[in-house]
Amino acid sequence: MQYQVFTRIKENGGYFVSRLKSNANPLIIESYRTHRGRSIDVRGKQLQDVLKNLKRQVLDVEVEVTFNRRAYRGKEKKDSERFRLVAVYNEDEDKYHLYITNLSTDLLKAEEVARLYGARWEVEILFKELKSKYALDVVPTSNPQVIEAFIWIAILTLLISRKIYTIIRRLNPGEKVVRFTQLRWGTVFSEKANYLLADVLEYLGLDTSFITSLRISFSEALDPHVNRRRYTEEWWA
């Protein structure tokens, strides 16, 4: 478990929500919820010892974890940090799903932590689409202004793609719409975008004929540095 990574995120003012492995066993320091009746006191106990006898639907506690800091001059230093741990019982799997975060109870309830993590797939799909379909992972420059331009191009392309995707889903209700996924549409859109653009230009009354396209291609093919001396000239002499 990358407790070191979580600690660095916290130390740098960031926030995170992550799943914990089912065998994780941090020390429970404090409970964020009070329970009436014969509830067990979880403070000072290891997580796995508590989960064995836990009858609650949700466990929301502060835990302490230990980890090794990054090696410095060949030596690793042990350290500890405290995080919030949320355990939510899943009836289908008959076990607790464990989450670790540094978001406070004032920001999110325990159930909301689980739902927030569940939304991660949408975020992953979004970045996958940006990189695989709209070339966000291909930025052949180190110029900050150009990099920013590439990022905005990818984002604007994504926005247009999602807008059309929403329209198509509305026009095609029924069972098939479930199979009409965002990534699948991203592939179709990226492959057919030039045709869509031509239709938009034609709708706006702009000339999109073959002759016009040929003239544009011809003008773009002109070399602005035609008078520059080329080393290949010696080979053609």
Side-chain angles (χ1 to χ4, degrees), residues 154-193:
I155 292 175
L156 292 173
T157 305
L158 175 69
L159 290 175
I160 295 172
S161 172
R162 290 294 177 88
K163 181 64 176 180
I164 300 175
Y165 172 74
T166 302
I167 294 173
I168 292 178
R169 283 179 62 95
R170 290 175 180 172
L171 295 175
N172 295 274
E175 294 183 3
K176 290 184 178 180
V177 77
V178 178
R179 299 171 55 195
F180 198 66
T181 63
Q182 293 174 348
L183 281 180
R184 182 71 177 178
W185 166 251
T187 301
V188 174
F189 179 79
S190 60
E191 292 176 351
K192 309 297 182 182

Side-chain angles (χ1 to χ4, degrees), residues 26-121:
L27 177 66
I28 298 176
I29 303 300
E30 189 63 61
S31 176
Y32 291 121
R33 291 190 174 190
T34 55
H35 299 269
R36 298 179 180 178
R38 301 173 60 185
S39 60
I40 61 174
D41 187 2
V42 299
R43 293 175 297 179
K45 298 180 180 180
Q46 300 295 141
L47 176 64
Q48 294 301 322
D49 294 334
V50 170
L51 292 180
K52 293 176 183 177
N53 304 309
L54 194 64
K55 303 298 182 182
R56 308 172 191 174
Q57 187 71 22
V58 175
L59 178 70
D60 192 359
V61 295
E62 180 183 17
V63 298
E64 184 177 81
V65 300
T66 58
F67 60 94
N68 291 323
R69 287 279 185 178
R70 181 180 297 179
Y72 178 70
R73 293 183 177 179
K75 295 182 179 179
E76 288 187 343
K77 177 185 176 183
K78 277 196 171 294
D79 205 345
S80 63
E81 184 58 80
R82 294 186 179 186
F83 298 110
R84 180 185 179 191
L85 183 142
V86 172
V88 179
Y89 181 71
N90 185 284
E91 294 182 356
D92 295 333
E93 300 180 20
D94 190 28
K95 67 178 184 179
Y96 285 92
H97 286 184
L98 307 179
Y99 306 91
I100 186 170
T101 181
N102 63 334
L103 292 168
S104 69
T105 55
D106 295 332
L107 292 175
L108 284 180
K109 297 178 181 178
E111 295 83 356
E112 292 173 333
V113 170
R115 288 199 293 270
L116 177 62
Y117 180 80
R120 81 198 186 284
W121 182 240

Side-chain angles (χ1 to χ4, degrees), residues 103-144:
L103 292 168
S104 69
T105 55
D106 295 332
L107 292 175
L108 284 180
K109 297 178 181 178
E111 295 83 356
E112 292 173 333
V113 170
R115 288 199 293 270
L116 177 62
Y117 180 80
R120 81 198 186 284
W121 182 240
E122 293 297 324
V123 178
E124 291 178 7
I125 288 178
L126 185 144
F127 277 97
K128 184 175 181 178
E129 186 174 348
L130 282 170
K131 293 189 292 184
S132 64
K133 310 303 179 186
Y134 311 131
L136 185 61
D137 60 337
V138 183
V139 184
T141 179
S142 58
N143 185 303

